[in-house]
């Protein structure tokens, strides 16, 4: 098994950001930010987008090749976000992903446990980490929609104990995509869960959550925090400004460079909020 940088982050009181990618410029901007900040990073590819990204093997190899070409030195975990089935998680494991999430949150807990366990047994044989989810993250993102459903504490305990997964995402009021109104995280439940399970917790739907609440979540055991929307919004804004600023522009490089820099800038801000800057101490064996 690779060194568990997420466990290390939990013990050291910071979180490693997971940033989801939507193409090559995301890989470039995020890796640049992580290298500049000397931060370990988790690159997320959501299962719903795999076909658009070119398939498990293609996107995995592309991330690795890009990191090599950029001479990136920081530890990178390549993660399957919201794995839609046991089978898909196995594909990602076989392709060489470092970590997979099996999203059994819409299943009855017994079925969630059964399927997550199957993923864990398969993944652990190959040294791949597994994340599981209890409750439901709300909102809409990449074609995944859901109503907020707070995680049940006993279900969290059972999922962790029976599957031996590596990280747990207990849904506690966060949403994917843009928040309608103020985020309302269940910190009391968060405290209870972290006292009952010893694996690091994962916070989904972090875009739009205040720095104050993020720091509370990190103190309460969250060592992996997922971002997508915030990065996409900064990319879109810059792209729009560039195109509107010069109606005659058609050079892809001139159009894409500023928006890639916007990704980099937002990624650096996220890294600092998570406290993972200058935490490049963990050596990952490949
Ligand atoms: P945001 O939509 O809040 O960025 O959340 C991303 C996420 O949780 C991916 O799993």
């Amino acid at each position: 098994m690779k060194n568990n940088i997420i466990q290390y982050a939990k013990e050291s009181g910071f979180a490693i950001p997971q940033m989801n990618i939507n193409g090559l410029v995301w890989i470039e901007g995020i890796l640049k930010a992580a290298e500049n900040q000397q931060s370990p990073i988790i690159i997320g590819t959501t299962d719903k987008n795999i076909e658009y990204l070119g398939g498990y093997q293609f996107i995995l190899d592309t991330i690795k090749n890009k990191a090599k070409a950029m001479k990136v030195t920081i530890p990178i975990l390549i993660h399957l976000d919201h794995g839609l089935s046991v089978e898909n998680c196995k594909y990602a494991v076989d392709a060489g992903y470092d970590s997979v999430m099996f999203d059994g949150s819409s299943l009855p807990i017994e079925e969630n446990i059964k399927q997550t366990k199957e993923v864990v047994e398969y993944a652990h044989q190959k040294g791949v980490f597994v994340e599981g989810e209890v409750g439901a993250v709300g909102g809409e993102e990449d074609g995944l929609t859901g109503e907020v459903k707070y995680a049940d504490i006993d279900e969290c305990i059972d999922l962790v104990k029976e599957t031996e997964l590596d990280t747990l995402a207990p849904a506690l009021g966060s949403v994917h995509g843009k928040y309608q109104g103020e985020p309302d995280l269940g910190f009391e439940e968060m405290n209870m869960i972290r006292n009952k399970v010893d694996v690091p917790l994962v916070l989904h739907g972090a875009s739009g959550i205040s720095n104050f609440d993020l720091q509370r979540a990190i103190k309460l055991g969250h060592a992996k925090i997922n971002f997508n929307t915030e990065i996409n919004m900064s990319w879109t804004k810059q792209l729009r400004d560039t195109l509107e600023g010069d109606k005659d522009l058609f050079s892809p490089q001139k159009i894409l460079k500023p928006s890639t820099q916007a990704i980099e800038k937002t990624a650096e801000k996220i890294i600092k909020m998570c406290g993972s800057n200058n935490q490049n101490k963990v050596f990952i064996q490949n």
Side-chain angles (χ1 to χ4, degrees):
M1 191 81 113
K2 286 185 171 181
N3 287 348
N4 192 339
I5 55 173
I6 304 171
Q7 183 63 38
Y8 170 81
K10 185 187 170 199
E11 286 157 13
S12 312
F14 70 95
I16 302 182
Q18 173 186 314
M19 303 193 199
N20 284 9
I21 55 158
N22 294 275
L24 195 59
V25 296
W26 275 256
I27 303 173
E28 190 178 324
I30 292 166
L31 288 180
K32 251 193 189 162
E35 186 68 17
N36 286 346
Q37 292 300 321
Q38 289 293 290
S39 165
I41 192 84
I42 300 166
I43 303 272
T45 64
T46 198
D47 206 1
K48 271 256 181 196
N49 274 353
I50 285 295
E51 219 177 287
Y52 153 81
L53 289 169
Y56 300 104
Q57 196 67 62
F58 176 83
I59 195 62
L60 179 92
D61 291 346
T62 303
I63 298 165
K64 285 192 171 170
N65 287 333
K66 187 69 188 162
K68 207 166 159 192
M70 290 170 72
K71 299 193 169 55
V72 165
T73 61
I74 42 112
I76 305 165
L77 285 188
I78 304 177
H79 174 79
L80 180 72
D81 196 24
H82 294 285
L84 297 170
S85 65
V86 173
E87 201 185 16
N88 286 8
C89 289
K90 288 183 180 175
Y91 283 137
V93 169
D94 289 344
Y97 273 66
D98 301 304
S99 162
V100 296
M101 174 194 187
F102 173 69
D103 184 352
S105 58
S106 61
L107 301 170
I109 188 64
E110 298 75 25
E111 196 55 34
N112 188 358
I113 290 173
K114 184 170 164 259
Q115 296 192 25
T116 305
K117 197 170 172 180
E118 193 181 336
V119 173
V120 171
E121 280 167 2
Y122 192 82
H124 279 186
Q125 276 176 31
K126 303 199 177 188
V128 174
F129 298 122
V130 179
E131 174 182 330
E133 181 171 327
V134 173
V137 177
E140 197 280 330
E141 185 171 64
D142 302 320
L144 283 177
T145 48
E147 289 291 314
V148 171
K149 184 171 160 259
Y150 279 64
D152 178 274
I153 296 169
D154 292 329
E155 292 185 359
C156 290
I157 297 170
D158 289 348
L159 187 75
V160 172
K161 208 172 93 198
E162 300 207 16
T163 66
E164 296 182 22
L165 47 66
D166 303 283
T167 53
L168 173 73
L172 291 169
S174 60
V175 306
H176 288 131
K178 265 181 109 171
Y179 280 83
Q180 313 291 336
E182 285 300 304
D184 185 16
L185 299 186
F187 288 106
E188 242 173 70
E189 294 89 340
M190 212 181 271
N191 194 23
M192 286 194 263
I193 291 169
R194 74 99 184 236
N195 285 327
K196 296 278 184 188
V197 304
D198 56 4
V199 295
L201 303 181
V202 178
L203 180 65
H204 282 250
S207 301
I209 293 181
S210 68
N211 190 28
F212 182 77
D213 281 357
L214 274 191
Q215 301 316 317
R216 279 178 86 184
I218 292 171
K219 282 205 181 81
L220 293 174
H222 285 86
K224 171 176 177 286
I225 303 190
N226 293 6
F227 295 85
N228 183 25
T229 303
E230 193 170 339
I231 299 166
N232 297 344
M233 284 170 75
S234 64
W235 172 78
T236 313
K237 184 184 177 310
Q238 183 55 58
L239 192 60
R240 204 171 273 129
D241 287 353
T242 306
L243 291 171
E244 281 174 3
D246 183 351
K247 300 264 195 248
D248 296 324
L249 199 57
F250 60 87
S251 152
Q253 288 83 351
K254 284 190 181 152
I255 294 168
L256 289 176
K257 199 170 173 202
S259 53
T260 309
Q261 284 167 339
I263 292 174
E264 185 184 332
K265 204 168 148 209
T266 305
E268 288 203 25
K269 190 194 95 183
I270 289 171
I271 285 168
K272 287 181 191 157
M273 284 201 317
C274 290
S276 61
N277 47 318
N278 301 317
Q279 291 288 0
N280 182 19
K281 296 173 194 131
V282 192
F283 175 65
I284 296 196
Q285 292 157 336
N286 281 307

